């Protein structure tokens, strides 16, 4: 696995390095840190950028001796330089650090670098935040609705190397569109008790394959069904459960202008979740 990390020495970027401990990266991971010198923020010179990048690489190397870690420095616009480095390095995952945000779901703010990298990257992006967990146990929430994007998030989770006590929760949120679809085939949906029962049956049917994949990988997994708007429910449940990360698919094509429209749920979670959020895209083919 290849991971590209945008690192500028800030508190948020240092927290992103610490978050790697909770990202399930396998032993054979190759990591490249990218530090960009820009005239108005630190680091301001190429020499400073090289020093900062080497410092970050030293920190990461101390996490797991099997990882292959390198440092890279450049000058220019940080998001553009990170994306340019990605074209050469061809990572499976780009990691950028973000400070915690207030959970105001009517606003969608990310830092400029994170926003551009998230929307324009051709690979998965992890918006990394400092874990609030008081132990080393990994708790992963996967936003799940049975779609190809959701299954991709599940498969990405399965492919990681989690600790033995890691736990994955598939969170299926029945919003108005889901309930409306079910209601077309079940006129009795006007009864709230029947509505809840049918929603659980819908989620359980869709999640069978995903739970089986996770189980075969030796991951403790469960399904939870909730009602409301996904971007609000997923963030709240992740906070309540003290999740270390959220995995979610972008719900759009990667081969057209739609690639830039990652979806309101993914974008809102990336901006407002109190833990790291990984927006999963298919890995590039390495040559």
């Amino acid at each position: 696995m290849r991971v590209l990390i945008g690192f500028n020495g800030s508190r948020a970027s240092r927290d992103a390095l610490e978050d790697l401990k909770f990202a399930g990266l396998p032993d054979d991971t190759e990591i490249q840190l990218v530090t960009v010198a820009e005239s108005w923020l630190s680091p301001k010179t190429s020499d400073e950028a090289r020093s900062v990048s080497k410092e970050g690489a030293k920190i990461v190397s101390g996490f797991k001796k099997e990882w292959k870690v390198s440092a890279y420095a450049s000058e220019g616009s940080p998001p553009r330089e990170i994306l340019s480095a990605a074209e050469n390095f061809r990572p499976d995952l780009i990691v950028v650090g973000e400070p915690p945000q207030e959970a105001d779901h009517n606003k969608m703010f990310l830092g400029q670098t994170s926003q551009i990298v998230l929307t324009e990257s051709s690979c998965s992006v992890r918006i990394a935040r400092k874990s609030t967990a008081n132990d080393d146990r990994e708790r992963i929430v996967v936003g799940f609705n049975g779609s190809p994007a959701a299954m991709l998030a599940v498969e990405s989770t399965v492919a990681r190397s989690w600790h033995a006590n890691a736990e994955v929760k598939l969170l299926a949120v029945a919003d108005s569109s889901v309930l409306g679809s079910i209601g077309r085939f079940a006129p009795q949906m006007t009864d709230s008790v029947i509505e809840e029962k049918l929603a659980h049956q819908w989620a359980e049917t869709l999640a069978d394959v995903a739970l089986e994949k996770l189980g075969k990988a030796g991951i403790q997994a469960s399904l939870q069904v909730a009602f409301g708007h996904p971007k609000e429910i997923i963030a709240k449940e992740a906070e309540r459960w003290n999740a270390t990360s959220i995995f979610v698919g972008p719900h759009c094509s990667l081969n057209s202008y739609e690639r830039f429209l990652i979806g309101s749920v993914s974008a809102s979670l990336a901006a407002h979740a109190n833990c790291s959020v990984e927006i999963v895209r298919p890995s590039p083919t390495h040559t």
Side-chain angles (χ1 to χ4, degrees):
M1 182 174 183
R2 291 182 179 178
V3 179
L4 186 72
I5 304 173
F7 181 74
N8 63 2
S10 67
R11 182 71 266 170
S13 68
R14 291 177 184 274
D15 287 343
L17 298 189
E18 291 293 325
D19 172 69
L20 296 177
K21 300 174 183 178
F22 297 93
L25 302 183
D27 289 348
D28 62 351
T29 297
E30 183 177 355
I31 298 173
Q32 183 176 90
L33 279 82
V34 178
T35 302
V36 182
E38 50 182 328
S39 59
W40 56 93
L41 291 173
S42 181
K44 296 182 178 181
T45 68
S46 296
D47 287 342
E48 289 178 359
R50 281 191 289 270
S51 177
V52 170
S53 188
K54 288 178 181 178
E55 178 193 5
K58 184 177 180 180
I59 293 172
V60 175
S61 295
F63 294 158
K64 186 174 288 191
K65 64 180 181 180
E66 294 86 356
W67 289 348
K68 182 180 178 181
V69 184
S70 61
Y72 173 78
S74 64
E75 295 182 70
S77 165
R80 296 302 169 195
E81 290 300 310
I82 291 172
L83 290 170
S84 177
E87 290 182 5
N88 295 321
F89 187 62
R90 302 190 70 188
D92 303 290
L93 176 68
I94 297 177
V95 176
V96 287
E98 271 288 315
Q101 297 277 7
E102 294 296 326
D104 180 354
H105 300 282
N106 293 317
K107 298 179 181 179
M108 298 178 64
F109 295 134
L110 275 176
Q112 182 185 39
T113 296
S114 297
Q115 184 67 51
I116 293 174
V117 170
L118 177 60
T119 56
E120 298 188 25
S121 170
S122 60
C123 67
S124 298
V125 175
R126 187 175 179 92
I127 303 298
R129 296 185 173 92
K130 183 178 181 179
S131 172
T132 59
N134 54 12
D135 53 31
D136 292 331
R137 183 182 178 189
E138 297 142 327
R139 302 176 183 86
I140 304 98
V141 171
V142 178
F144 188 79
N145 61 2
S147 68
M151 285 304 300
L152 185 62
V154 171
E155 290 165 3
S156 180
T157 306
V158 168
R160 299 291 175 85
S161 298
W162 307 105
H163 293 129
N165 62 353
E167 185 175 355
V168 172
K169 179 180 290 187
L170 300 183
L171 184 55
V173 183
D175 60 8
S176 58
S177 62
V178 169
L179 296 176
S181 296
I182 298 174
R184 286 199 294 271
F185 303 99
Q188 63 270 39
M189 279 282 284
T190 52
D191 186 312
S192 61
V193 174
I194 295 177
E195 178 182 88
E196 182 173 349
K197 181 179 179 180
L198 291 175
H200 276 81
Q201 291 176 346
W202 159 79
E204 289 166 2
T205 299
L206 292 177
D208 277 347
V209 173
L211 290 171
E212 183 179 1
K213 284 179 178 288
L214 290 162
K216 286 183 177 179
I219 301 172
Q220 181 182 348
S222 61
L223 171 68
Q224 179 180 339
V225 182
F227 298 83
H229 198 293
K231 67 182 181 182
E232 298 177 4
I233 298 298
I234 294 174
K236 289 179 180 178
E237 178 55 27
E239 183 174 5
R240 186 197 68 78
W241 195 45
N242 202 20
T244 52
S245 58
I246 298 170
F247 278 61
V248 65
H251 304 290
C252 68
S253 166
L254 298 179
N255 299 316
S256 69
Y257 175 72
E258 291 178 352
R259 180 166 68 93
F260 294 88
L261 307 176
I262 65 171
S264 63
V265 173
S266 299
S268 180
L269 288 172
H272 301 113
N274 73 333
C275 64
S276 297
V277 178
E278 195 159 318
I279 289 78
V280 179
R281 295 184 172 109
S283 296
T285 302
H286 295 143
T287 58

